[in-house]
Amino acid sequence: AAATRSRSPFVIFNSSQMSSSSTPVANDITAKLTEAFAPDHLEVRNESHMHNVPPGSESHFKVVVVSRSFDSAKTPLARHRMVNSVLSEEIATGGPVHALSVVAKTPKQWETMMTKGGAEIGPSPSCRGGDGSLPKRKDGGKA
């Protein structure tokens, strides 16, 4: 998907083919990141289906955020901390999000990635078992 130059964010909502009414956590993440960062590009990917959780879960996410708000952040870690701060309720102990992968770029960094043909952000790695705190899938983890 191509980034847009307009001030309205280019939002990709990818939640394993679920309707937005059945994805309250993804909706909250999208709304909070949009409000906080006025992104040029935003992707909220529900990657829960890649993990040993019940179908329809919203526990594992990847977000791709491109925003001028990150221009002042000197390191990737600083940008990640900005995103984590906005999503602090979701990622807190006992919150709905068990895992969050963050790709946070400035518009200049994103444009460089696009120019070099590297703007494809792949999925997160497969789950390696976790800590056992999440409910188990009824199918034994076989998708």
Side-chain angles (χ1 to χ4, degrees):
T4 181
R5 292 252 183 224
S6 72
R7 285 306 302 148
S8 61
F10 178 78
V11 178
I12 295 174
F13 182 80
N14 178 349
S15 194
S16 301
Q17 312 304 321
M18 290 188 276
S19 71
S20 61
S21 63
S22 66
T23 55
V25 177
N27 291 341
D28 287 348
I29 290 171
T30 300
K32 287 182 175 186
L33 294 177
T34 298
E35 182 177 335
F37 299 116
D40 292 335
H41 180 92
L42 173 63
E43 296 178 41
V44 177
R45 301 180 187 178
N46 182 350
E47 296 184 329
S48 301
H49 66 280
M50 297 167 45
H51 303 277
N52 189 23
V53 296
S57 292
E58 289 189 285
S59 57
H60 296 70
F61 286 91
K62 173 174 276 189
V63 296
V64 180
V65 188
V66 179
S67 174
R68 289 176 183 84
S69 299
F70 299 135
D71 286 341
S72 63
K74 300 295 181 198
T75 65
L77 181 58
R79 293 189 296 272
H80 287 215
R81 287 179 174 159
M82 291 170 70
V83 171
N84 287 348
S85 177
V86 170
L87 300 178
S88 61
E89 290 178 27
E90 287 76 12
I91 63 175
T93 301
V97 177
H98 171 76
L100 178 67
S101 173
V102 177
V103 177
K105 301 289 185 186
T106 66
K108 183 177 180 180
Q109 291 170 325
W110 185 254
E111 187 165 328
T112 298
M113 285 177 61
M114 296 287 287
T115 302
K116 292 182 178 179
E120 180 65 32
I121 306 294
S124 297
S126 294
C127 188
R128 295 179 55 106
D131 64 3
S133 65
L134 296 173
K136 299 295 182 215
R137 288 169 51 154
K138 291 180 181 172
D139 64 3
K142 297 172 182 74

CSV table of all heavy atoms in Angstrom, one decimal, residues 11-52:
chain,number,residue,atom,x,y,z
A,11,VAL,N,-5.0,4.9,6.5
A,11,VAL,CA,-5.2,3.9,7.6
A,11,VAL,C,-5.5,2.5,6.9
A,11,VAL,O,-6.4,2.4,6.1
A,11,VAL,CB,-6.3,4.3,8.5
A,11,VAL,CG1,-6.5,3.2,9.6
A,11,VAL,CG2,-6.0,5.6,9.2
A,12,ILE,N,-4.7,1.5,7.3
A,12,ILE,CA,-5.0,0.2,6.9
A,12,ILE,C,-5.4,-0.5,8.2
A,12,ILE,O,-4.7,-0.6,9.2
A,12,ILE,CB,-3.8,-0.5,6.3
A,12,ILE,CG1,-3.3,0.2,5.0
A,12,ILE,CG2,-4.0,-2.0,6.1
A,12,ILE,CD1,-2.1,-0.4,4.5
A,13,PHE,N,-6.6,-1.0,8.2
A,13,PHE,CA,-7.1,-1.8,9.4
A,13,PHE,C,-7.1,-3.2,9.0
A,13,PHE,O,-8.0,-3.7,8.2
A,13,PHE,CB,-8.5,-1.2,9.7
A,13,PHE,CG,-9.1,-1.9,10.9
A,13,PHE,CD1,-8.7,-1.5,12.2
A,13,PHE,CD2,-10.0,-2.9,10.8
A,13,PHE,CE1,-9.3,-2.1,13.3
A,13,PHE,CE2,-10.6,-3.5,11.9
A,13,PHE,CZ,-10.2,-3.1,13.2
A,14,ASN,N,-6.2,-4.0,9.5
A,14,ASN,CA,-6.1,-5.4,9.2
A,14,ASN,C,-6.4,-6.2,10.4
A,14,ASN,O,-5.6,-6.3,11.3
A,14,ASN,CB,-4.7,-5.7,8.6
A,14,ASN,CG,-4.5,-7.2,8.3
A,14,ASN,OD1,-5.4,-8.0,8.6
A,14,ASN,ND2,-3.5,-7.5,7.6
A,15,SER,N,-7.5,-6.8,10.5
A,15,SER,CA,-7.9,-7.6,11.7
A,15,SER,C,-8.4,-9.0,11.3
A,15,SER,O,-9.5,-9.4,11.7
A,15,SER,CB,-8.9,-6.8,12.5
A,15,SER,OG,-8.9,-7.4,13.8
A,16,SER,N,-7.7,-9.7,10.5
A,16,SER,CA,-8.1,-11.0,10.1
A,16,SER,C,-9.5,-11.2,9.6
A,16,SER,O,-10.2,-12.0,10.0
A,16,SER,CB,-7.8,-12.0,11.3
A,16,SER,OG,-6.5,-11.9,11.7
A,17,GLN,N,-9.9,-10.3,8.7
A,17,GLN,CA,-11.2,-10.3,8.1
A,17,GLN,C,-12.4,-10.1,9.0
A,17,GLN,O,-13.5,-10.5,8.7
A,17,GLN,CB,-11.3,-11.6,7.3
A,17,GLN,CG,-10.2,-11.9,6.4
A,17,GLN,CD,-9.8,-10.8,5.4
A,17,GLN,OE1,-10.7,-10.2,4.9
A,17,GLN,NE2,-8.6,-10.6,5.2
A,18,MET,N,-12.1,-9.6,10.2
A,18,MET,CA,-13.2,-9.4,11.2
A,18,MET,C,-13.8,-8.0,10.9
A,18,MET,O,-13.1,-7.1,10.5
A,18,MET,CB,-12.8,-9.5,12.6
A,18,MET,CG,-12.4,-10.9,13.0
A,18,MET,SD,-12.0,-11.0,14.7
A,18,MET,CE,-10.3,-10.5,14.8
A,19,SER,N,-15.1,-7.8,11.2
A,19,SER,CA,-15.7,-6.5,11.0
A,19,SER,C,-15.2,-5.6,12.2
A,19,SER,O,-14.9,-6.0,13.2
A,19,SER,CB,-17.2,-6.6,11.1
A,19,SER,OG,-17.6,-6.9,12.4
A,20,SER,N,-15.2,-4.3,11.9
A,20,SER,CA,-14.7,-3.3,12.9
A,20,SER,C,-15.6,-3.3,14.1
A,20,SER,O,-15.1,-3.0,15.2
A,20,SER,CB,-14.7,-1.9,12.3
A,20,SER,OG,-15.9,-1.5,11.9
A,21,SER,N,-16.8,-3.7,14.1
A,21,SER,CA,-17.7,-3.7,15.3
A,21,SER,C,-17.3,-4.9,16.2
A,21,SER,O,-17.6,-4.8,17.4
A,21,SER,CB,-19.2,-3.9,14.9
A,21,SER,OG,-19.4,-5.1,14.2
A,22,SER,N,-16.6,-5.9,15.7
A,22,SER,CA,-16.1,-7.0,16.5
A,22,SER,C,-14.7,-6.8,16.9
A,22,SER,O,-14.1,-7.8,17.4
A,22,SER,CB,-16.4,-8.3,15.8
A,22,SER,OG,-15.5,-8.4,14.7
A,23,THR,N,-14.1,-5.7,16.7
A,23,THR,CA,-12.7,-5.5,17.0
A,23,THR,C,-12.5,-4.2,17.9
A,23,THR,O,-11.8,-3.2,17.4
A,23,THR,CB,-11.8,-5.4,15.7
A,23,THR,OG1,-12.4,-4.3,14.9
A,23,THR,CG2,-11.8,-6.7,15.0
A,24,PRO,N,-13.0,-4.2,19.1
A,24,PRO,CA,-12.9,-2.9,19.9
A,24,PRO,C,-11.5,-2.5,20.2
A,24,PRO,O,-11.2,-1.3,20.3
A,24,PRO,CB,-13.7,-3.3,21.1
A,24,PRO,CG,-13.8,-4.7,21.2
A,24,PRO,CD,-13.7,-5.2,19.8
A,25,VAL,N,-10.6,-3.5,20.5
A,25,VAL,CA,-9.2,-3.2,20.8
A,25,VAL,C,-8.5,-2.5,19.6
A,25,VAL,O,-7.9,-1.5,19.8
A,25,VAL,CB,-8.4,-4.4,21.3
A,25,VAL,CG1,-7.0,-4.1,21.6
A,25,VAL,CG2,-9.1,-5.0,22.6
A,26,ALA,N,-8.6,-3.1,18.5
A,26,ALA,CA,-8.0,-2.5,17.3
A,26,ALA,C,-8.6,-1.1,17.0
A,26,ALA,O,-7.9,-0.2,16.6
A,26,ALA,CB,-8.2,-3.4,16.1
A,27,ASN,N,-9.9,-1.0,17.2
A,27,ASN,CA,-10.5,0.3,17.0
A,27,ASN,C,-9.9,1.4,18.0
A,27,ASN,O,-9.6,2.5,17.6
A,27,ASN,CB,-12.0,0.3,17.2
A,27,ASN,CG,-12.7,-0.5,16.2
A,27,ASN,OD1,-12.2,-0.7,15.1
A,27,ASN,ND2,-13.9,-1.0,16.4
A,28,ASP,N,-9.8,1.0,19.2
A,28,ASP,CA,-9.2,1.9,20.2
A,28,ASP,C,-7.8,2.3,19.9
A,28,ASP,O,-7.4,3.4,20.0
A,28,ASP,CB,-9.2,1.3,21.6
A,28,ASP,CG,-10.6,1.2,22.2
A,28,ASP,OD1,-11.6,1.8,21.7
A,28,ASP,OD2,-10.8,0.5,23.3
A,29,ILE,N,-7.0,1.3,19.5
A,29,ILE,CA,-5.6,1.5,19.1
A,29,ILE,C,-5.5,2.5,17.9
A,29,ILE,O,-4.8,3.5,17.9
A,29,ILE,CB,-4.9,0.2,18.7
A,29,ILE,CG1,-4.6,-0.6,20.0
A,29,ILE,CG2,-3.5,0.5,18.0
A,29,ILE,CD1,-4.1,-2.0,19.7
A,30,THR,N,-6.4,2.3,16.9
A,30,THR,CA,-6.4,3.2,15.7
A,30,THR,C,-6.8,4.6,16.2
A,30,THR,O,-6.1,5.6,15.7
A,30,THR,CB,-7.4,2.6,14.7
A,30,THR,OG1,-7.0,1.3,14.3
A,30,THR,CG2,-7.5,3.5,13.5
A,31,ALA,N,-7.8,4.7,17.0
A,31,ALA,CA,-8.3,6.1,17.4
A,31,ALA,C,-7.2,6.8,18.2
A,31,ALA,O,-6.9,8.0,18.0
A,31,ALA,CB,-9.6,5.9,18.2
A,32,LYS,N,-6.6,6.1,19.1
A,32,LYS,CA,-5.6,6.7,20.0
A,32,LYS,C,-4.4,7.2,19.2
A,32,LYS,O,-3.8,8.3,19.4
A,32,LYS,CB,-5.2,5.8,21.1
A,32,LYS,CG,-6.2,5.7,22.2
A,32,LYS,CD,-5.8,4.8,23.3
A,32,LYS,CE,-6.8,4.8,24.5
A,32,LYS,NZ,-6.3,4.1,25.6
A,33,LEU,N,-3.9,6.3,18.3
A,33,LEU,CA,-2.7,6.7,17.5
A,33,LEU,C,-3.0,7.8,16.5
A,33,LEU,O,-2.2,8.7,16.3
A,33,LEU,CB,-2.2,5.4,16.8
A,33,LEU,CG,-1.6,4.3,17.7
A,33,LEU,CD1,-1.1,3.1,16.8
A,33,LEU,CD2,-0.4,4.8,18.5
A,34,THR,N,-4.2,7.8,16.0
A,34,THR,CA,-4.6,8.8,15.1
A,34,THR,C,-4.7,10.2,15.8
A,34,THR,O,-4.2,11.2,15.3
A,34,THR,CB,-6.0,8.5,14.4
A,34,THR,OG1,-5.8,7.3,13.7
A,34,THR,CG2,-6.4,9.6,13.5
A,35,GLU,N,-5.3,10.2,17.0
A,35,GLU,CA,-5.4,11.4,17.7
A,35,GLU,C,-4.0,11.9,18.2
A,35,GLU,O,-3.7,13.1,18.1
A,35,GLU,CB,-6.3,11.2,19.0
A,35,GLU,CG,-6.5,12.4,19.8
A,35,GLU,CD,-7.5,12.3,20.9
A,35,GLU,OE1,-8.3,11.3,20.9
A,35,GLU,OE2,-7.3,13.0,21.9
A,36,ALA,N,-3.2,11.0,18.7
A,36,ALA,CA,-1.9,11.5,19.2
A,36,ALA,C,-0.9,11.9,18.2
A,36,ALA,O,-0.1,12.8,18.4
A,36,ALA,CB,-1.3,10.3,20.1
A,37,PHE,N,-0.9,11.2,17.0
A,37,PHE,CA,0.2,11.5,16.1
A,37,PHE,C,-0.2,12.0,14.7
A,37,PHE,O,0.7,12.4,13.9
A,37,PHE,CB,1.0,10.1,15.8
A,37,PHE,CG,1.6,9.6,17.1
A,37,PHE,CD1,1.2,8.4,17.6
A,37,PHE,CD2,2.6,10.3,17.8
A,37,PHE,CE1,1.7,7.9,18.8
A,37,PHE,CE2,3.2,9.8,18.9
A,37,PHE,CZ,2.7,8.6,19.4
A,38,ALA,N,-1.5,12.2,14.4
A,38,ALA,CA,-2.0,12.7,13.1
A,38,ALA,C,-1.1,12.0,12.0
A,38,ALA,O,-0.4,12.7,11.3
A,38,ALA,CB,-1.9,14.2,13.1
A,39,PRO,N,-1.1,10.7,11.9
A,39,PRO,CA,-0.1,10.0,11.1
A,39,PRO,C,-0.4,10.2,9.6
A,39,PRO,O,-1.6,10.4,9.2
A,39,PRO,CB,-0.3,8.5,11.4
A,39,PRO,CG,-1.7,8.5,12.0
A,39,PRO,CD,-2.0,9.8,12.6
A,40,ASP,N,0.7,10.2,8.8
A,40,ASP,CA,0.6,10.2,7.4
A,40,ASP,C,0.2,8.8,6.9
A,40,ASP,O,-0.4,8.6,5.8
A,40,ASP,CB,1.9,10.6,6.7
A,40,ASP,CG,2.3,12.1,7.0
A,40,ASP,OD1,1.3,12.9,7.2
A,40,ASP,OD2,3.5,12.4,7.0
A,41,HIS,N,0.6,7.8,7.7
A,41,HIS,CA,0.3,6.4,7.3
A,41,HIS,C,0.2,5.7,8.6
A,41,HIS,O,1.0,5.9,9.6
A,41,HIS,CB,1.5,5.8,6.5
A,41,HIS,CG,1.4,4.4,6.2
A,41,HIS,ND1,0.8,4.0,5.0
A,41,HIS,CD2,1.7,3.3,6.8
A,41,HIS,CE1,0.8,2.7,4.9
A,41,HIS,NE2,1.3,2.2,6.0
A,42,LEU,N,-0.9,4.8,8.7
A,42,LEU,CA,-1.1,4.1,9.9
A,42,LEU,C,-1.6,2.7,9.6
A,42,LEU,O,-2.6,2.6,8.8
A,42,LEU,CB,-2.1,4.8,10.9
A,42,LEU,CG,-2.6,4.0,12.1
A,42,LEU,CD1,-1.4,3.7,13.0
A,42,LEU,CD2,-3.7,4.7,12.8
A,43,GLU,N,-1.0,1.7,10.1
A,43,GLU,CA,-1.5,0.3,9.9
A,43,GLU,C,-1.6,-0.3,11.3
A,43,GLU,O,-0.7,-0.2,12.1
A,43,GLU,CB,-0.5,-0.6,9.1
A,43,GLU,CG,-0.3,-0.2,7.7
A,43,GLU,CD,0.7,-1.1,7.0
A,43,GLU,OE1,0.7,-2.3,7.2
A,43,GLU,OE2,1.6,-0.5,6.3
A,44,VAL,N,-2.8,-0.9,11.6
A,44,VAL,CA,-3.0,-1.6,12.8
A,44,VAL,C,-3.3,-3.0,12.4
A,44,VAL,O,-4.4,-3.3,11.8
A,44,VAL,CB,-4.2,-1.0,13.7
A,44,VAL,CG1,-4.4,-1.8,14.9
A,44,VAL,CG2,-3.8,0.5,14.0
A,45,ARG,N,-2.4,-3.9,12.7
A,45,ARG,CA,-2.6,-5.3,12.3
A,45,ARG,C,-2.8,-6.2,13.5
A,45,ARG,O,-2.0,-6.2,14.4
A,45,ARG,CB,-1.3,-5.8,11.6
A,45,ARG,CG,-0.9,-5.0,10.4
A,45,ARG,CD,0.3,-5.6,9.8
A,45,ARG,NE,0.8,-4.9,8.7
A,45,ARG,CZ,2.0,-5.1,8.0
A,45,ARG,NH1,2.7,-6.2,8.4
A,45,ARG,NH2,2.4,-4.4,7.0
A,46,ASN,N,-3.9,-6.9,13.5
A,46,ASN,CA,-4.2,-7.8,14.6
A,46,ASN,C,-3.5,-9.1,14.1
A,46,ASN,O,-4.0,-9.8,13.2
A,46,ASN,CB,-5.7,-8.1,14.8
A,46,ASN,CG,-6.0,-9.0,15.9
A,46,ASN,OD1,-5.2,-9.7,16.4
A,46,ASN,ND2,-7.3,-9.1,16.2
A,47,GLU,N,-2.5,-9.5,14.8
A,47,GLU,CA,-1.7,-10.7,14.5
A,47,GLU,C,-2.0,-11.9,15.5
A,47,GLU,O,-1.3,-12.8,15.5
A,47,GLU,CB,-0.2,-10.4,14.5
A,47,GLU,CG,0.2,-9.4,13.4
A,47,GLU,CD,1.7,-9.2,13.3
A,47,GLU,OE1,2.4,-9.2,14.3
A,47,GLU,OE2,2.1,-8.9,12.2
A,48,SER,N,-3.1,-11.7,16.2
A,48,SER,CA,-3.4,-12.7,17.2
A,48,SER,C,-3.6,-14.1,16.6
A,48,SER,O,-3.3,-15.1,17.2
A,48,SER,CB,-4.7,-12.3,17.9
A,48,SER,OG,-4.5,-11.1,18.6
A,49,HIS,N,-4.1,-14.2,15.4
A,49,HIS,CA,-4.3,-15.5,14.7
A,49,HIS,C,-3.0,-16.3,14.5
A,49,HIS,O,-3.1,-17.5,14.3
A,49,HIS,CB,-5.0,-15.2,13.3
A,49,HIS,CG,-4.1,-14.5,12.4
A,49,HIS,ND1,-4.0,-13.1,12.4
A,49,HIS,CD2,-3.3,-15.0,11.4
A,49,HIS,CE1,-3.1,-12.8,11.4
A,49,HIS,NE2,-2.7,-13.9,10.8
A,50,MET,N,-1.9,-15.6,14.7
A,50,MET,CA,-0.6,-16.3,14.5
A,50,MET,C,-0.1,-16.9,15.8
A,50,MET,O,1.0,-17.5,15.9
A,50,MET,CB,0.5,-15.3,14.1
A,50,MET,CG,0.2,-14.7,12.7
A,50,MET,SD,1.2,-13.2,12.3
A,50,MET,CE,2.8,-13.7,12.8
A,51,HIS,N,-1.0,-16.8,16.9
A,51,HIS,CA,-0.5,-17.2,18.2
A,51,HIS,C,-1.6,-18.2,18.8
A,51,HIS,O,-2.6,-18.4,18.3
A,51,HIS,CB,-0.4,-16.0,19.1
A,51,HIS,CG,0.6,-15.0,18.5
A,51,HIS,ND1,2.0,-15.2,18.6
A,51,HIS,CD2,0.5,-14.0,17.7
A,51,HIS,CE1,2.6,-14.2,18.0
A,51,HIS,NE2,1.7,-13.5,17.4
A,52,ASN,N,-1.2,-18.8,19.9
A,52,ASN,CA,-2.0,-19.8,20.5
A,52,ASN,C,-3.1,-19.2,21.4
A,52,ASN,O,-3.0,-19.2,22.7
A,52,ASN,CB,-1.1,-20.8,21.4
A,52,ASN,CG,-1.9,-22.0,21.9
A,52,ASN,OD1,-2.9,-22.3,21.3
A,52,ASN,ND2,-1.4,-22.5,22.9
